[in-house]
Amino acid sequence: DTAVSQTPKYLVTQMGNDKSIKCEQNLGHDTMYWYKQDSKKFLKIMFSYNNKELIINETVPNRFSPKSPDKAHLNLHINSLELGDSAVYFCASSQGSRGPYEQYFGPGTRLTVT
Amino acid sequence: DAKTTQPTSMDCAEGRAANLPCNHSTISGNEYVYWYRQIHSQGPQYIIHGLKNNETNEMASLIITEDRKSSTLILPHATLRDTAVYYCIVIRNSNYQLIWGAGTKLIIKP
């Protein structure tokens, strides 16, 4: 069974479109995250939710809106896509939001904006 | 959170121990050292973490110097599947937020 899954794996779309990426974890974790990995391969945290509550919201354009319908799901909706949004987006989860908890990552969604 | 410095890349022969260094000279007393790796086109994978003592698990060993200013990740018998970018990250227990650097690209050669 896949611990952290993301859909879709690849997403190609045009500028100005709105798209969503879905993430699900079956580990029973309380905390979920969204990361962006750009072309230089640096991973940057975007958002973190603990028990459906937003706890980390880095400097991310408000075109990006996370939604957590329940503890096991954290979706990322992106409005008015721009060329600079092209990246690989990773979802992750951990047992809690504080303490030395390891994070489990999904396989990533490669978003290409043309 | 303390900053970390790692070599850009390293090679290791298959079957030998791979020793990956990390400097974190500004680490403070309540900051943990974490190691993750990212195999090409996959999500990052947790390897190990420690605070003061050396740690070992089924994947690797983590050696932290007494002054905690540096650490070494040891993969005891490297295989080709260990080829990946390895990230050393220092974080506070109270603010569990991973700040990722460039990591070390480890290439295991047959």
Side-chain angles (χ1 to χ4, degrees), chain A residues 36-109:
Chain A
K36 179 181 179 181
Q37 188 170 40
D38 59 24
S39 57
K40 294 183 179 179
K41 303 298 184 184
F42 283 101
L43 267 159
K44 291 181 110 174
I45 190 163
M46 301 173 69
F47 302 102
S48 173
Y49 270 75
N50 179 255
N51 281 320
K52 302 196 301 175
E53 182 181 341
L54 182 66
I55 56 170
I56 295 175
N57 184 355
E58 290 299 302
T59 307
V60 175
N62 56 16
R63 299 181 294 103
F64 290 79
S65 54
K67 284 187 172 53
S68 181
D70 55 58
K71 276 187 356 178
H73 296 84
L74 181 62
N75 303 324
L76 183 65
H77 188 75
I78 315 170
N79 289 327
S80 303
L81 278 154
E82 301 177 356
L83 292 176
D85 297 332
S86 294
V88 181
Y89 292 84
F90 289 100
C91 176
S93 72
S94 65
Q95 186 178 344
S97 60
R98 294 179 181 274
Y101 300 122
E102 55 263 36
Q103 293 185 12
Y104 294 80
F105 285 78
T109 295

Side-chain angles (χ1 to χ4, degrees), chain B residues 52-91:
Chain B
K52 294 180 182 177
N53 299 323
N54 297 336
E55 302 288 345
T56 295
N57 63 20
E58 64 278 3
M59 286 183 70
S61 294
L62 174 60
I63 308 297
I64 303 174
T65 58
E66 196 169 335
D67 63 9
R68 304 210 323 124
K69 293 186 176 183
S70 65
S71 60
T72 301
L73 178 74
I74 301 172
L75 307 177
H77 304 287
T79 70
L80 297 178
R81 288 175 293 183
D82 291 323
T83 292
V85 178
Y86 287 77
Y87 296 95
C88 169
I89 303 164
V90 172
I91 62 163

Side-chain angles (χ1 to χ4, degrees), chain B residues 5 7 10 14 22 28-29 64 70 78 83 96:
Chain B
T5 304
M10 292 180 63
E14 188 179 18
C22 179
S28 58
I64 303 174
S70 65
T83 292
Y96 187 60

Side-chain angles (χ1 to χ4, degrees), chain B residues 1 3 10 25 27 38 41 61 77-78 83-84 110:
Chain B
D1 294 308
K3 189 176 177 181
M10 292 180 63
S25 57
I27 194 169
Q38 187 173 23
S41 296
S61 294
H77 304 287
T83 292

